[in-house]
Amino acid sequence: MITNNIIKACLEGKPSAQKVLYAHFLGYLYGICRRFSIKEQEIKDLMQEIYIEIFSSLSKFDPDKGDIKYWIKSIAIHKILNYQRKKGLEWVDRASLPESTSYLPSVNEKYDAEYLLQLISFLPDGYRTVFNLSVVDGYSHKEIGQLLNISESSSRSQLSRAKKLLQEKLLSMKT
Amino acid sequence: MSKDPFDIFKEGLQDYHPKEIPSWLSWEENAEAIQAALPNPNSKKRRPFWLFLCLLLMGFVGLGSVYLLTSKRSSQEKANTPEVNEHPSSLSLPSTVESSKDQPIEDEATEENISLGSSPLSSPPVLLTLLPDDRVGEKSASISPSSPVETTNFIPTLQPLSVEAPFLLAPTGNIIPVKPWHTSIDLPNTQYWSLHLSGGATIFQPNYVLSSPEQDPASFEEELIGWSAALRMSRVLKSRLSLSTGVEIQRLRYLFKLDESFQVNLFRPNTPDTILINRTRRDTSIIFTDTIPGTRRILARQYNSHFRIAIPLLIGYQLTTPKWTQTLRAGPQFQLYRNSQGYTIIEEEGMVNIGKREAEEVGIILGLQAEYESGIEIAADWMILTQIGIQKSLGKWAYETEAGLSQKPLILYGRIGIGKRF
């Protein structure tokens, strides 16, 4: 649990408090990086950037506006998107989209998180990013459009294609 | 309401924590790099110091001006004070006054005792002479040059007799000549030219305009101080209005908070273990990591450099006293700017590759400027002056960063200099 005292100590630059905050969110942030399929050898530097941003702008965090976890998540996502923008996202042409699929995952089925990650990792970069932002992180298409500098309709179509690809992948794994 | 089948991804991944976290992500492995990049919480921002310096400067100028003005006025008062300020021993106290001392003091001003018989505007100054025992609030006075008049009227000396009254009675019984307010500011009645040369510090706030609002713009901005110099020619008119133009030069350099972590692996041919080309500036964090054997990695921050030449067209209003001139000016300015950018990046993952990109852009935009100038005369037609002002660009600087940012900068400046009247 990150208390106000820990935040205050972090603002004062105390390493012991920074270590507590770092360790508390390490697994969570590492999970987000993996969800966006950041390569292992680049995660370290990206994680450093994320933590530097967190500690630098901690004074802007307002506990009344929500849990620090979601504030930290938004910083991480912005950093990851910046990183991807530099690298260049792989946006898939509409012509190469799959046709249709008949399989939908059952809501009652339990999937292992590693298995889900593996499924997502098969998606092209652009699809995966939109899928993550929309389905997992709950961003609207308008917000995604602003974040990725694409139109809302592009975001919708990318999500739709991502879902179709995932359905295909799930179907192929079932059979 | 049916559940989206893809919610399994949300449920499974939104709080996903990998079972194993690599050891190279531990705090011990990363603490040094993170802490090196963090600003020192004990270091103060420069802006308060800059503002403090300006306020201090203005305070000195203001106090100095007040001192000069009051000292001059005092010397004038001394020179103008008539001898009646001294209590003449030859004056005798009329018996009627003595007998009236025990009477209760009436603390009210009547029309009669305020005007002393006539309006000061319509009559020549009346010399009010006091008797030795006259004190504030007591009765009796003699009035000359007409024959001394004994009066039992109460004279409320702590209230103004009238705005234009030539004299006031001081609590000590002295008579102080009062100069009408509208003559206390000696305005020059002539038109003249003035030339000002000044220099000082300037602070630059980039004010990024996001074409894709991906982040809080404030997180990108980093104000830095540069220098500024101005040469200005003014024409002061009789109406106290002035017209000014000239040339202003500003030079600023600042670093991005954004993209502060360009990683550069550098080495010299044949000596791969002796590397390090530090492209960062003194206030840039440097983080060392060691992922590529035989090389050292530095983080270099992107920088922007700005050089501006502005031609202002200002209209001003001037308040002038013999020693102190204050002017408020405002108007448009034309800014010729040159932005240059440089940074170093690694281009290919795993390959030690030095990439350097530089960009330069020149353009003209319109801006607005407002300024307060305060000057003290130090010699005939020469003055030292301070200027505090603000400049706001109306258009976006054409320069746009990779992150989709452009700027609408706000610039504050404080300058000191000299001025000459012609």
Side-chain angles (χ1 to χ4, degrees):
Chain A
M1 176 72 179
I2 297 299
T3 62
N4 286 341
N5 285 341
I6 292 173
I7 293 173
K8 192 180 167 191
C10 285
L11 287 170
E12 291 166 359
K14 292 184 177 166
S16 56
Q18 289 172 341
K19 182 178 180 180
V20 171
L21 193 141
Y22 182 93
H24 187 82
F25 289 108
L26 181 59
Y28 181 59
L29 292 175
Y30 180 51
I32 293 176
C33 287
R34 287 200 56 199
R35 182 152 60 83
F36 281 83
S37 295
I38 305 297
K39 291 171 186 168
E40 284 287 314
Q41 59 268 37
E42 291 164 351
I43 284 182
K44 180 177 182 179
D45 296 328
L46 187 55
M47 289 282 277
Q48 283 183 2
E49 281 189 39
I50 292 169
Y51 274 108
I52 288 168
E53 183 67 35
I54 290 168
F55 289 127
S56 303
S57 49
L58 199 55
S59 58
K60 295 177 190 166
F61 169 65
D62 182 358
D64 297 334
K65 289 185 179 172
D67 195 332
I68 190 170
K69 179 180 168 182
Y70 299 109
W71 180 76
I72 282 178
K73 184 173 96 169
S74 82
I75 287 178
I77 286 175
H78 281 127
K79 280 286 176 191
I80 288 169
L81 295 181
N82 266 341
Y83 162 81
Q84 288 183 330
R85 191 176 292 111
K86 280 184 222 161
K87 286 280 177 187
L89 277 177
E90 179 195 343
W91 296 98
V92 175
D93 196 337
R94 289 181 185 214
S96 65
L97 297 173
E99 289 302 318
S100 62
T101 179
S102 55
Y103 178 77
L104 283 176
S106 164
V107 292
N108 296 320
E109 285 180 76
K110 288 289 177 190
Y111 292 92
D112 178 58
E114 294 292 339
Y115 175 68
L116 294 173
L117 271 184
Q118 199 183 349
L119 281 174
I120 289 180
S121 69
F122 288 122
L123 292 173
D125 290 347
Y127 287 9
R128 183 172 52 249
T129 301
V130 173
F131 183 83
N132 266 320
L133 291 173
S134 175
V135 175
V136 183
D137 298 312
Y139 283 88
S140 70
H141 286 294
K142 187 179 179 183
E143 289 169 325
I144 293 169
Q146 290 172 342
L147 284 168
L148 300 177
N149 205 16
I150 58 175
S151 66
E152 277 185 62
S153 60
S154 289
S155 172
R156 280 201 181 83
S157 69
Q158 294 278 326
L159 178 63
S160 167
R161 312 304 181 197
K163 283 181 174 178
K164 281 181 182 172
L165 274 180
L166 282 174
Q167 286 167 15
E168 275 205 345
K169 200 70 194 172
L170 278 166
L171 187 61
S172 67
M173 286 180 157
K174 282 270 175 188
T175 54
Chain B
M1 192 175 167
S2 62
K3 195 174 176 183
D4 186 340
F6 287 95
D7 279 351
I8 57 169
F9 287 92
K10 181 171 187 174
E11 289 163 4
L13 295 176
Q14 68 177 355
D15 285 320
Y16 167 62
H17 284 64
K19 290 169 188 164
E20 289 182 8
I21 297 174
S23 59
W24 41 262
L25 279 180
S26 68
W27 171 251
E28 287 71 23
E29 289 277 331
N30 294 275
E32 191 180 342
I34 292 172
Q35 286 172 337
L38 292 176
N40 183 358
N42 298 322
S43 67
K44 293 179 179 175
K45 277 193 166 184
R46 294 174 191 172
R47 180 164 46 171
F49 173 75
W50 185 80
L51 286 176
F52 172 76
L53 203 64
C54 284
L55 289 173
L56 196 67
L57 205 61
M58 290 305 299
F60 274 123
V61 171
L63 286 174
S65 305
V66 169
Y67 173 77
L68 285 172
L69 288 170
T70 51
S71 61
K72 178 174 181 180
R73 194 171 294 171
S74 300
S75 59
Q76 282 177 343
E77 283 161 5
K78 274 189 179 176
N80 295 337
T81 304
E83 289 179 359
V84 291
N85 279 350
E86 304 300 325
H87 291 183
S89 56
S90 59
L91 289 174
S92 60
L93 187 68
S95 58
T96 53
V97 172
E98 282 184 343
S99 62
S100 66
K101 278 186 178 176
D102 297 332
Q103 292 177 8
I105 296 171
E106 301 166 26
D107 191 10
E108 64 178 40
T110 64
E111 186 179 342
E112 186 184 356
N113 61 30
I114 287 176
S115 68
L116 289 175
S118 62
S119 164
L121 285 175
S122 58
S123 62
V126 178
L127 179 61
L128 186 65
T129 57
L130 293 182
L131 300 175
D133 288 342
D134 282 343
R135 289 192 296 270
V136 176
E138 292 191 344
K139 300 178 179 180
S140 175
S142 300
I143 297 177
S144 63
S146 60
S147 58
V149 177
E150 290 183 0
T151 175
T152 56
N153 286 338
F154 174 72
I155 301 173
T157 55
L158 293 181
Q159 297 182 22
L161 298 176
S162 78
V163 176
E164 293 83 10
F167 298 106
L168 285 180
L169 286 179
T172 56
N174 288 348
I175 298 172
I176 298 172
V178 176
K179 208 174 181 183
W181 69 272
H182 51 75
T183 62
S184 64
I185 297 174
D186 301 324
L187 295 171
N189 290 323
T190 54
Q191 302 182 63
Y192 61 89
W193 289 94
S194 69
L195 186 68
H196 294 175
L197 180 65
S198 59
T202 183
I203 191 166
F204 176 91
Q205 190 179 37
N207 280 337
Y208 284 113
V209 180
L210 292 171
S211 56
S212 57
E214 57 184 10
Q215 234 175 338
D216 176 13
S219 65
F220 295 106
E221 293 174 358
E222 185 164 307
E223 297 157 349
L224 274 194
I225 292 176
W227 59 263
S228 160
L231 178 67
R232 181 168 297 151
M233 176 71 85
S234 299
R235 175 68 173 167
V236 181
L237 307 172
K238 277 183 181 176
S239 56
R240 289 191 279 177
L241 290 175
S242 65
L243 298 171
S244 306
T245 187
V247 179
E248 294 184 16
I249 299 172
Q250 285 172 334
R251 176 87 164 84
L252 302 124
R253 182 181 163 104
Y254 70 96
L255 305 170
F256 276 104
K257 279 184 181 174
L258 179 71
D259 295 341
E260 62 188 358
S261 56
F262 284 113
Q263 299 169 7
V264 188
N265 291 283
L266 303 166
F267 70 98
R268 294 190 185 111
N270 306 322
T271 54
D273 54 336
T274 57
I275 52 159
L276 180 61
I277 301 172
N278 187 353
R279 295 184 184 280
T280 58
R281 298 176 67 236
R282 59 182 168 78
D283 49 357
T284 306
S285 307
I286 303 173
I287 302 173
F288 292 93
T289 57
D290 53 354
T291 55
I292 301 177
T295 67
R296 292 173 70 183
R297 180 179 285 189
I298 66 166
L299 300 185
R301 295 173 76 180
Q302 186 178 342
Y303 70 86
N304 260 12
S305 172
H306 301 294
F307 181 74
R308 297 173 356 110
I309 299 177
I311 299 177
L313 295 172
L314 306 175
I315 186 163
Y317 184 76
Q318 185 166 310
L319 275 178
T320 305
T321 62
K323 290 280 184 186
W324 187 21
T325 303
Q326 296 178 86
T327 310
L328 285 172
R329 296 192 185 97
Q333 60 168 206
F334 301 94
Q335 303 172 356
L336 172 69
Y337 67 87
R338 188 192 71 194
N339 295 335
S340 53
Q341 178 197 45
Y343 53 85
T344 313
I345 61 172
I346 183 167
E347 291 183 347
E348 292 293 335
E349 174 193 327
M351 290 181 63
V352 183
N353 207 341
I354 301 169
K356 184 181 177 188
R357 287 175 53 184
E358 287 185 348
E360 188 172 288
E361 200 161 287
V362 177
I364 298 177
I365 52 172
L366 189 66
L368 287 177
Q369 179 175 0
E371 178 183 275
Y372 168 75
E373 183 185 275
S374 178
I376 297 178
E377 193 169 312
I378 49 172
D381 293 332
W382 285 92
M383 65 171 68
I384 55 169
L385 52 92
T386 61
Q387 296 169 336
I388 292 179
I390 186 168
Q391 296 169 353
K392 175 74 180 162
S393 300
L394 291 180
K396 282 192 283 190
W397 289 23
Y399 180 85
E400 192 158 297
T401 68
E402 279 187 344
L405 306 174
S406 55
Q407 301 161 12
K408 244 179 169 177
L410 181 71
I411 294 171
L412 304 172
Y413 62 87
R415 295 192 284 248
I416 57 173
I418 56 170
K420 171 86 171 90
R421 283 184 186 173
F422 299 97

